[in-house]
Amino acid sequence: MHRRSFVLLGAAGLGSMISGCSDDEGFDLKNAPSGPIVLGFSQVGSESGWRLANTKSIQKAAEYNRIELKFDNAEGDQKRQIAAIQSYIDARVNVIAFSPVVESGWDEVLQRARAAGIPVVLTDRLIKTADESLYVSSIGADFVAEGNLAAAYLANDYSSGKNSVKVVEILGTPDSTPAKQRTQGFTETISKEKKLTVIDREAGNWTKAGGETAMRKLLRRNKDFDAVFAQNDEMGLGAAAVLADAGREPGSTSRIVTVDATKAGLQGLIDGKLNYVVECSPLIGELLMKAVVDLFYGGKVLRRISSEIVVFDKFSAATALPDRTY
Ligand code: GYE
């Protein structure tokens, strides 16, 4: 069945508006800095094609917007992210942004940023905190919707024939927002359509090697399952390699749905290794720099700025791949 790409616009227009920030919102933003805005950014790591494209997007957008970027790559280490944020506070940057590797453990360093009068913007992922005033805006995709779509497309694939479909799930980093919310969305949808059941889960930590290891463990524990929901392309392609070695033809005997829509993911669709890929665009650099400029030049900064979601199949992947920038 030829599916068209399905576009679900983020709720970019929703969410409270923040025009600068007054004391009662926790930040008393100073006027625009005399020179270029200095932004301190802490990146999660280099774990996937998505992350590399995200880094490039942020660095290019800072250059294009003439924002002085202090950039640190934490290589997956929360302690290093906290140290980088502290170094930006010590350096008295104008604004801090970061993609939190996990959701918990940020309150103390963000309270120090607020005490220093430095606004914080979250990109890509979220934090778990009782004090939402610790950050002024968050920019990223609706991961729950991505999980909803992954389940919906997988269920539709079995619309004829099988009444019950057993799924194994390969997760990203535990306690990271995309890992938690993609599972939440997938679970919400399958609880309504009643055809799919997740029988087992294993963490693959966003990498291809992690996906291979997770798939081997799942194969050892489960002889009988139909499909794989891998939370990013790298883990899905790792799972496909292990399934092929085990004689379970990925894309047919075992259907696979993933998230991200990197070049490798779209190629996997064209090669028949994957069945559906839900896009989660990493290209949020421009959204971040616009929010940063608006913070200091009186523009309106949304509390939540969402990116678009598109679902690819092998046909739309072939159309999109030639122009793909990541
Ligand atoms: O899906 C994965 C990356 O936070 C949305 O992290 C991002 C996720 C993405 O490693 O490839």
Side-chain angles (χ1 to χ4, degrees):
M1 177 180 171
H2 185 170
R3 297 177 194 286
R4 306 198 54 72
S5 291
F6 178 84
V7 180
L8 175 72
L9 291 179
L14 304 181
S16 62
M17 307 283 264
I18 296 179
S19 55
C21 286
S22 61
D23 276 340
D24 63 357
E25 288 173 316
F27 287 90
D28 178 11
L29 285 181
K30 309 219 174 350
N31 298 324
S34 51
I37 295 172
V38 181
L39 164 64
F41 189 91
S42 167
Q43 179 61 289
V44 167
S46 321
E47 74 282 2
S48 61
W50 190 99
R51 187 64 55 201
L52 299 178
N54 180 247
T55 290
K56 197 171 167 187
S57 169
I58 287 160
Q59 291 173 331
K60 278 178 66 179
E63 184 184 352
Y64 181 75
N65 289 275
R66 293 184 178 75
I67 287 172
E68 183 184 329
L69 180 66
K70 292 180 183 295
F71 185 92
D72 179 80
N73 180 335
E75 294 306 352
D77 180 349
Q78 181 179 26
K79 289 189 177 65
R80 179 159 172 182
Q81 285 203 283
I82 292 171
I85 293 169
Q86 184 57 54
S87 73
Y88 300 143
I89 296 168
D90 297 341
R92 311 230 23 92
V93 299
N94 299 115
V95 53
I96 291 169
F98 73 111
S99 175
V101 61
V102 292
E103 291 194 338
S104 30
W106 304 99
D107 278 16
E108 274 185 41
V109 71
L110 297 187
Q111 284 161 1
R112 292 198 291 271
R114 178 170 55 189
I118 301 174
V120 173
V121 178
L122 301 182
T123 64
D124 170 27
R125 301 182 181 179
L126 299 172
I127 63 171
K128 190 192 314 178
T129 179
D131 184 354
E132 296 290 329
S133 73
L134 287 173
Y135 61 93
V136 292
S137 181
S138 67
I139 302 169
D142 181 343
F143 301 128
V144 174
E146 293 166 355
N148 295 143
L149 286 165
Y153 272 72
L154 200 52
N156 285 348
D157 235 21
Y158 291 94
S159 48
S160 54
K162 282 181 96 62
N163 290 325
S164 80
V165 176
K166 293 175 182 169
V167 184
V168 293
E169 187 176 4
I170 301 179
L171 312 172
T173 308
D175 193 35
S176 69
T177 311
K180 294 166 70 173
Q181 293 189 356
R182 284 170 184 166
T183 293
Q184 178 190 339
F186 195 88
T187 307
E188 270 173 11
T189 299
I190 65 175
S191 65
K192 291 180 194 138
E193 53 76 47
K194 305 270 188 259
K195 183 184 282 265
L196 275 61
T197 307
V198 176
I199 60 168
D200 202 351
R201 295 186 168 95
E202 190 65 45
N205 289 322
W206 307 119
T207 64
K208 186 170 184 188
E212 291 169 353
T213 303
M215 192 69 250
R216 287 194 192 94
K217 287 179 185 174
L218 290 163
L219 268 173
R220 274 199 294 275
R221 297 199 297 256
N222 307 277
K223 289 303 166 220
D224 171 27
F225 63 87
D226 304 290
V228 181
F229 170 39
Q231 292 189 346
N232 82 338
D233 296 340
E234 277 82 357
M235 296 190 293
L237 291 167
V242 169
L243 287 170
D245 289 348
R248 299 173 65 123
E249 206 41 51
S252 53
T253 312
S254 296
R255 311 272 170 87
I256 304 181
V257 61
T258 72
V259 187
D260 276 354
T262 58
K263 284 178 182 171
L266 299 191
Q267 191 61 55
L269 280 171
I270 294 167
D271 298 344
K273 293 175 187 168
L274 305 177
N275 298 88
Y276 297 104
V277 173
V278 181
E279 179 173 47
C280 169
S281 177
L283 308 181
I284 55 180
E286 275 301 329
L287 291 172
L288 171 59
M289 299 312 154
K290 181 178 185 317
V292 164
V293 170
D294 284 346
L295 272 175
F296 290 98
Y297 290 90
K300 293 230 183 284
V301 178
L302 286 173
R303 179 76 186 159
R304 176 65 183 163
I305 303 167
S306 292
S307 45
E308 287 185 353
I309 298 177
V310 173
V311 181
F312 288 95
D313 62 14
K314 66 189 300 181
F315 305 100
S316 48
T319 308
L321 191 57
D323 303 326
R324 204 76 182 155
T325 58
Y326 68 93

